[in-house]
Amino acid sequence: MRILLLASAFNSLTQRVFVELRDRGHPVAVELALGDDERLTAAVRRHGPDLVIAPMLTTAVPEAVWSAYCCLIVHPGPPGDRGPSSLDRAVQEGRGRWGVTVLQAVAEMDAGPVWASAGFGVPPDVGKSDLYRGELADAALRAVLLAVERFASGTYTPLTPPEHTWQPYLRQEERRIDWHHDPTDTVLRKLRAADSQPGVLDAFLGGEWYLHGGRPEHRLTGPPGELLATRHGAICRATTDGAVWIPELRPRRRPGESATFKLPATTALGTSLPTAAEKGRGELREQPPTSRTRNPAGGSHEDITYEEHGTVGHLRFRFPGGAMSTGQCRRLLDAYRHARTRPTDVVVLGGRRDFFSNGIHLNVIEAAPDPAAESLANIEAIDDLVEEILTTTDRLVIAALPGNAAAGGAMLALAADEVWCREGAVLNPHYRLMGLYGSEYWTYTLPRRVGPAAAERLTRDALPVGAHAARTLGLVDRVLGCGPGDFTAEVTRMADRLARSAGLSTRLGAKKAARERDEAVRPLRAHRAAELERMRAVFDDPSAPYHALRSAFVRKRRPDGTPEHLRTDFPNGG
Ligand code: COA
């Protein structure tokens, strides 16, 4: 069946639907809905699809489209739920279960007949965007695939949805944190409901900021709302009964100013931080690191942890948006070096949930006084980490991907001996969309895994790859068919089995020999130097597309049309 995806952006869920439908043999094309109904209608007519699916659409489907084609909308709420802030409301209200519905577009928003739906449990401590890319995306795929099957059967009659009232957009007034009344649980729910977009608007330290993300702090306390400490770029603020960590801030845009973007909280605050201390609002203390060999039970903000199970070391890292700044790469390298000193046979890299990594931190680079220099510093720092992994020959290294990985973050995974990923993960092993040649030793690791022809195709086409297709290609070794909540336990079990396997020492011997052979063919430093030369040329050229692409990416500027790499007329022979 020829399926056209309509979406406001080629975002994570749209990519997941794209790869899964394609993997099932459907010819799939993509058209972005960017506000011009006439253009969109003409594009849909040109494609002439059998079915239109909208995995993430923030605008209404034009009548000329839904009256001529069956258009299935993925709504992030259970049947009957209506409105633009469904998931935000579910998280803010602390719902234990939620759902996703595939309904047909009609004149009234979210009111069409239901083709399929699926429910999911909402973990209590997960932010909206993590939930969206995890449990919700899994449920959405189940519902979309069922809807496609039902539509293809030609015999299914979609159901009339239950009556419900329209829930309006969740405005900042309802999101606002009342620091003098809200306990930690309430503050966290508000932060988590807004974690990616739009953030929670708040006024403090003489400025107006959107707060992004939130995690509990269990030891520090202070006068409600006060800034108590900073750690790894995050700030800790007191609530009525405890405190929370807020990793990122975005300044409120003033009239006439260009769009603002999120940054690590301490970077965003800049010189406002010492001012606060001077005013006696509480001494800002950089929290001392907790032991790397155990998980901090007390909840102090940690984005990197290390723990051991038998002879397996688990080095976990979790950075907002999967972006890794120079400082984060250096801290992760330190932690990896520490892991290498431990008496283990296997090291597992990766977080418990959500993104594995999306490469260098474009927002931090954009905000740097010299973005070209910061780009290079970030690349060198991530390269150092990759090199350390590639030259680890005394133990096996596993990259365990609970979720998506892109660009340098995908290549970081390929430095490991084995790549395991959750079934729902989507990989984007390419750099072209950011105008970059790429580094992270990809010229060594990508062809090593998939062969030169597939490496060329992946980097040229710049399309997402689903977990199963990645396994077929050789990008991934094992696909874990489990939900986000079971991933860590499953990885721990598999790593334990690997560490106990009989052939481990033979395998390590072969690994060392292979590395020596590869080094003799072309040393790692030659790969790095050649990649960096291409990257430096881009960084140092102010007219290189990378700078404009980066600026547009961090400011979330909408493209003018469907990007060129997606502009295909039903590939796969459709
Ligand atoms: N630097 C800074 N922020 C990044 C980032 C990066 N490298 N990659 C992702 N993010 C942020 C996004 O801005 C977004 O922020 P938001 O929550 O405020 O909206 C968040 O992480 C999630 O990313 P988003 O783009 O919404 O997720 P997605 O699943 O729809 O798309 C990618 C994933 C990876 C395709 C897309 O984020 C991307 O192209 N990232 C840049 C990759 C890159 O070029 N890296 C640099 C070269 S190594």
Side-chain angles (χ1 to χ4, degrees), residues 117-138:
S117 64
F120 57 90
V122 180
D125 51 356
V126 165
K128 175 185 62 176
S129 57
D130 181 350
L131 184 66
Y132 180 78
R133 288 184 286 263
E135 284 82 355
L136 185 136
D138 285 1

Side-chain angles (χ1 to χ4, degrees), residues 252 254 281 314 323 360 364 383 432 502 554:
R252 186 179 197 179
R254 295 205 200 100
R281 287 184 182 176
H314 293 264
I360 57 175
V364 168
D383 271 5
R432 183 165 77 78
V554 306

Side-chain angles (χ1 to χ4, degrees), residues 11-12 15 133 196-197 262 321 323 355 358-363 404 406-408 428 431 434 436 553 556:
N11 77 330
S12 55
Q15 294 192 14
R133 288 184 286 263
S196 154
Q197 296 299 325
K262 285 195 299 197
F355 289 123
N358 284 328
I360 57 175
H361 203 312
L362 298 167
N363 295 41
N404 304 348
N428 276 287
Y431 302 83
M434 203 51 68
L436 292 170
F553 176 81
K556 304 192 183 302

Side-chain angles (χ1 to χ4, degrees), residues 140 178 198 245 255:
D178 183 342
W245 287 98

Side-chain angles (χ1 to χ4, degrees), residues 412-433:
L412 168 66
L414 302 190
D417 301 300
E418 288 192 22
V419 180
W420 301 349
C421 82
R422 202 176 77 76
E423 200 167 31
V426 175
L427 308 187
N428 276 287
H430 49 80
Y431 302 83
R432 183 165 77 78
L433 304 181

Side-chain angles (χ1 to χ4, degrees), residues 37-287:
D37 281 2
E38 265 179 45
R39 196 158 120 181
L40 184 64
T41 306
V44 176
R45 284 191 185 129
R46 185 173 50 78
H47 284 291
D50 301 316
L51 178 65
V52 176
I53 299 180
M56 195 281 293
L57 197 60
T58 54
T59 51
V61 178
E63 184 174 349
V65 173
W66 64 254
S67 58
Y69 302 90
C70 178
C71 298
L72 302 184
I73 312 287
V74 179
H75 174 75
D81 176 81
R82 299 177 60 199
S85 299
S86 291
L87 197 56
D88 303 50
R89 288 189 182 277
V91 174
Q92 182 142 326
E93 289 162 12
R95 305 270 184 150
R97 272 197 79 71
W98 199 239
V100 59
T101 308
V102 176
L103 44 84
Q104 191 165 342
V106 292
E108 215 182 328
M109 279 278 253
D110 302 340
V114 172
W115 282 82
S117 64
F120 57 90
V122 180
D125 51 356
V126 165
K128 175 185 62 176
S129 57
D130 181 350
L131 184 66
Y132 180 78
R133 288 184 286 263
E135 284 82 355
L136 185 136
D138 285 1
L141 259 295
R142 288 199 302 276
V144 164
L145 295 175
L146 183 60
V148 169
E149 203 182 297
R150 286 173 170 169
F151 179 79
S153 77
T155 58
Y156 186 79
T157 309
L159 309 173
T160 308
E163 273 293 313
H164 268 292
T165 47
W166 175 265
Q167 293 286 327
Y169 180 72
L170 189 61
R171 297 162 62 85
Q172 282 297 335
E173 294 83 75
E174 287 176 78
R175 297 183 187 270
R176 199 177 66 81
I177 294 171
D178 183 342
W179 291 98
H180 293 278
H181 289 99
D182 288 346
T184 302
D185 271 3
T186 309
V187 173
L188 285 174
R189 269 194 281 113
K190 288 180 176 176
L191 289 170
R192 285 177 179 142
D195 77 332
S196 154
Q197 296 299 325
V200 176
L201 185 59
D202 193 28
F204 69 110
L205 295 185
E208 283 192 287
W209 306 91
Y210 291 94
L211 318 178
H212 291 273
R215 300 172 85 168
E217 157 61 43
H218 299 298
R219 286 181 291 122
L220 299 176
T221 53
E226 287 293 295
L227 233 56
L228 302 176
T230 66
R231 181 151 172 73
H232 305 324
I235 53 171
C236 181
R237 289 181 72 184
T239 62
T240 54
D241 61 349
V244 296
W245 287 98
I246 299 164
E248 295 183 310
L249 297 177
R250 178 168 59 93
R252 186 179 197 179
R253 177 188 192 167
R254 295 205 200 100
E257 271 183 3
S258 71
T260 57
F261 52 90
K262 285 195 299 197
L263 282 171
T266 55
T267 310
L269 285 168
T271 50
S272 306
L273 269 174
T275 312
E278 280 159 25
K279 283 185 181 161
R281 287 184 182 176
E283 194 187 342
L284 297 180
R285 296 171 282 142
E286 186 73 11
Q287 282 286 105

